[in-house]
Amino acid sequence: MNSIQIARITIGFSWIYHGIFPKLIHVAPLELAMTSTVGFSVEASYLITKAAGILEVIFGLLFLVFYRMKSIVYLNIAGLTMLLLFVMLQMPSLLIEAFNPVTTNLPLIALSFTLLNRADECGTHNKGG
């Protein structure tokens, strides 16, 4: 398996996993807490968390299929960056916890840039996005 496929599968799997397990199968209390920091009620936070889980699974599947499109890779980078900034602003104490957004989002962002750079070297990306 080459580096492009490793990056593609790792990024797609991460979105799918984070959509299914802490949001759809079992809504993790931390997920609800993060959503609640914006001011939503517990009930609304629960629904928003479930919706986010569905969107994450869909994005992960789309990423697995359309990983050659620069636009989806850049969307991935933007999404991961925004989620990290959200945690930094809303719940900065999470940044020093085990398995925190820094140790998950930054490596996925790095893999995204690796995917972009490697694909450009191989000429496999859709230039139009």
Side-chain angles (χ1 to χ4, degrees), residues 11-78:
I11 294 166
F13 169 78
S14 183
W15 280 105
I16 293 166
Y17 183 91
H18 283 275
I20 291 174
F21 291 101
K23 294 178 183 78
L24 294 175
I25 290 178
H26 168 76
V27 177
L30 187 55
E31 294 288 347
L32 290 176
M34 284 191 291
T35 307
S36 297
T37 64
V38 183
F40 294 111
S41 68
V42 174
E43 296 82 14
S45 292
Y46 182 82
L47 292 174
I48 290 167
T49 300
K50 289 284 192 177
I54 292 167
L55 291 173
E56 287 181 13
V57 170
I58 291 169
F59 184 77
L61 293 171
L62 288 172
F63 192 91
L64 287 172
V65 174
F66 298 109
Y67 67 97
R68 288 189 168 140
M69 294 177 63
K70 285 186 176 185
S71 57
I72 200 157
V73 179
Y74 285 123
L75 185 59
N76 177 61
I77 293 167

Side-chain angles (χ1 to χ4, degrees), residues 1-17 60-61 63-65 67 108 111 115:
M1 188 177 305
N2 65 34
S3 60
I4 291 173
Q5 294 308 315
I6 292 168
R8 167 191 173 227
I9 292 167
T10 301
I11 294 166
F13 169 78
S14 183
W15 280 105
I16 293 166
Y17 183 91
L61 293 171
F63 192 91
L64 287 172
V65 174
Y67 67 97
L108 292 174
L111 278 177
L115 183 61

Side-chain angles (χ1 to χ4, degrees), residues 51-122:
I54 292 167
L55 291 173
E56 287 181 13
V57 170
I58 291 169
F59 184 77
L61 293 171
L62 288 172
F63 192 91
L64 287 172
V65 174
F66 298 109
Y67 67 97
R68 288 189 168 140
M69 294 177 63
K70 285 186 176 185
S71 57
I72 200 157
V73 179
Y74 285 123
L75 185 59
N76 177 61
I77 293 167
L80 291 168
T81 301
M82 289 189 302
L83 289 169
L84 180 57
L85 290 173
F86 175 80
V87 172
M88 290 172 70
L89 295 172
Q90 295 300 114
M91 297 184 81
S93 62
L94 293 180
L95 299 176
I96 59 170
E97 295 294 327
F99 307 107
N100 63 66
V102 173
T103 60
T104 54
N105 291 31
L106 290 181
L108 292 174
I109 290 168
L111 278 177
S112 299
F113 282 111
T114 300
L115 183 61
L116 288 171
N117 291 335
R118 183 74 179 114
D120 280 343
E121 291 171 10
C122 296

